[in-house]
Amino acid sequence: MSQLKFAYWIPNVSGGLVVSNLPQKTDWSFEANKRYAQIAEEVGFEYALLQTRFFASYGAEYQLEAMTLASALASVTKKLNLISAVLPGLWHPAVYAKMLASLDHISNGRAAVNVVSGWFRGEFDGYGEPWLEHGERYKRAEEFIRVLREMFTAEKANFQGNYYQINDAPLKPKPEKDIPIFQGGNSQDARHMASRVSDYYFMNGNTLEGIQEQIADVKAKAAAQGREEEVKFGINGFAIVRDTEEEAVQLLRDIIANKDEEAVKGFQQAVKEAGQSTKDKQGMWANSTKEDLVQYNDGFKTGLIGTPEQVANRIIELKKVGVDLVLTGHFHYEEDLRLFGEKVIPLVREKEKRLTKEGILV
């Protein structure tokens, strides 16, 4: 079995990865993110995900654009794979294919992309772009990915869809390697899309049972498309690693007790449509409580909270149910990234090796 991969959220928006007023040593600036990225690749993280955000929505008043920052971070790192998130409807896929190919050359093959179908209507309204209903947003996102792949592989790209039309469009230079395409979403629309076109299906934080159900469902859908082996799975988790379980749990309590009520309420209202508009009511955040939304991708639910040993054991359980990549958010970024990389990742590697040898991980 291949090793689990580790990724972290780049805090390229203000406010960190929790909607809380509890003081945290996390900064959104380029200089801070440069330090975080260099620490992350030093201690064993392989991927970093840059958020795409244009308006403040849950306390994120300041934002650095994802692709621009990815290019800057590529110049100050050597190994870290940079996943820039993109919103179809605000970007044209052929233009974005050019940007990704450029990033891939700048970084010597370290570009990746996360195609976000969109949940925040305010950005689309503010920029005068049409706001589509849930299912149509996923149809557009799927077309976006198909255009990316066509641009990356064809000598002259052609595509005729409902949202994009490409006519004999060249892309030179091509990327140095296949650019991994990530995608999130809990709904059946999202799962079908992942089964057809994506390389990685990102899941919000969840219980082991919830994660296992999503993986089994997407695998079955991918098998029907002849892609069962092509789709991998990533899970979001907010990591709180401390010397004792009591310290870790207390920090979690403090984060939630100091939640920014107004920002959490605003976020809850903004994502209500995403969670409730689908026929199956399985959209993102459909079952999220106000406490869950303090970490805006349900990261507390994943259970990466405790001592290094406890967190490593939890990650192994995630791997057993089919997770290929763990995406972590942190509280005090500089020290917590290092702590996770130095204390947790080596334990996971030791356990992977031992359990594989024993035939438990196969």
Side-chain angles (χ1 to χ4, degrees):
M1 177 177 279
S2 61
Q3 285 190 334
L4 193 95
K5 297 184 185 302
F6 288 96
Y8 78 97
W9 284 95
I10 286 179
N12 57 304
V13 304
S14 60
L17 269 291
V18 289
V19 189
S20 177
N21 293 316
L22 190 68
Q24 56 184 312
K25 291 178 276 186
T26 296
D27 187 16
W28 56 273
S29 70
F30 168 68
E31 286 300 326
N33 275 298
K34 174 182 173 181
R35 294 197 308 274
Y36 304 154
Q38 290 172 340
I39 289 169
E41 70 174 4
E42 175 192 337
V43 299
F45 286 89
E46 296 142 296
Y47 286 86
L49 174 61
L50 298 100
Q51 306 169 60
T52 181
R53 188 84 289 122
F54 294 92
F55 289 14
S57 55
Y58 41 84
E61 176 135 9
Y62 300 97
Q63 316 92 27
L64 294 178
E65 193 279 317
M67 176 58 82
T68 312
L69 182 57
S71 297
L73 292 176
S75 69
V76 295
T77 54
K78 296 179 180 178
K79 298 181 292 183
L80 201 62
N81 294 282
L82 298 157
I83 313 167
S84 63
V86 61
L87 274 168
L90 299 185
W91 294 99
H92 190 284
V95 174
Y96 211 78
K98 186 68 169 179
M99 296 166 72
L100 282 166
S102 300
L103 176 60
D104 204 57
H105 280 264
I106 291 167
S107 65
N108 294 315
R110 294 185 283 130
V113 61
N114 182 38
V115 178
V116 183
S117 297
W119 57 265
F120 185 26
R121 181 171 182 167
E123 291 177 330
F124 286 79
D125 287 346
Y127 286 158
E129 293 296 326
W131 178 248
L132 307 178
E133 63 88 16
H134 183 274
E136 290 301 312
R137 295 202 299 276
Y138 276 94
K139 289 178 183 177
R140 178 174 61 188
E142 182 168 335
E143 285 192 14
F144 192 99
I145 291 174
R146 292 187 184 278
V147 171
L148 290 181
R149 293 200 187 282
E150 175 75 1
M151 295 292 294
F152 292 155
T153 57
E155 181 66 22
K156 289 188 176 180
N158 286 277
F159 182 85
Q160 299 300 315
N162 292 326
Y163 294 99
Y164 304 110
Q165 292 79 44
I166 308 298
N167 305 298
D168 287 336
L171 177 64
K172 294 182 180 180
K174 300 290 188 191
E176 292 191 351
K177 60 165 184 54
D178 290 338
I179 291 180
I181 297 177
F182 293 73
Q183 167 231 318
N186 286 353
S187 67
Q188 287 296 312
D189 290 325
R191 298 178 190 198
H192 279 293
M193 174 177 149
S195 75
R196 290 190 290 260
V197 296
S198 299
D199 297 313
Y200 275 90
Y201 175 61
F202 267 142
M203 298 171 284
N204 266 14
N206 209 332
T207 63
L208 286 176
E209 294 75 19
I211 295 165
Q212 196 165 21
E213 182 277 325
Q214 279 183 269
I215 290 175
D217 187 31
V218 174
K219 275 186 173 289
K221 288 176 169 59
Q225 302 289 327
R227 300 186 71 240
E228 185 176 7
E229 301 302 318
E230 295 178 43
V231 184
K232 296 182 173 62
F233 298 89
I235 186 70
N236 176 64
F238 191 81
I240 303 178
V241 182
R242 295 296 183 264
D243 291 337
T244 67
E245 181 180 7
E246 291 74 19
E247 288 178 275
V249 171
Q250 187 58 54
L251 178 53
L252 174 62
R253 292 193 188 112
D254 292 343
I255 290 169
I256 292 173
N258 288 274
K259 64 182 178 292
D260 184 330
E261 292 279 0
E262 184 177 347
V264 172
K265 183 179 179 180
F267 181 50
Q268 192 172 38
Q269 291 173 339
V271 301
K272 182 179 180 181
E273 190 270 346
Q276 296 297 325
S277 66
T278 59
K279 293 178 182 178
D280 51 33
K281 306 299 182 186
Q282 286 185 308
M284 297 278 273
W285 306 286
N287 301 307
S288 302
T289 66
K290 187 178 288 188
E291 287 71 28
D292 293 330
L293 294 176
V294 174
Q295 204 293 308
Y296 42 79
N297 282 96
D298 288 342
F300 299 149
K301 287 184 179 181
T302 307
L304 304 185
I305 297 163
T307 65
E309 184 76 22
Q310 288 173 316
V311 173
N313 286 337
R314 181 66 171 183
I315 290 171
I316 291 296
E317 292 304 310
L318 294 171
K319 182 168 183 173
K320 286 179 180 177
V321 301
V323 169
D324 300 289
L325 179 149
V326 174
L327 170 66
T328 56
H330 302 269
F331 192 64
H332 299 311
Y333 250 76
E334 193 154 338
E335 57 198 63
D336 288 344
L337 269 176
R338 184 174 292 281
L339 178 62
F340 189 94
E342 291 181 346
K343 299 293 186 180
V344 177
I345 293 178
L347 281 176
V348 172
R349 297 300 182 222
E350 290 173 14
K351 293 174 187 293
E352 283 180 315
K353 186 175 181 180
R354 175 172 58 80
L355 293 173
T356 301
K357 187 175 182 180
E358 294 173 0
I360 297 172
L361 290 176
V362 294

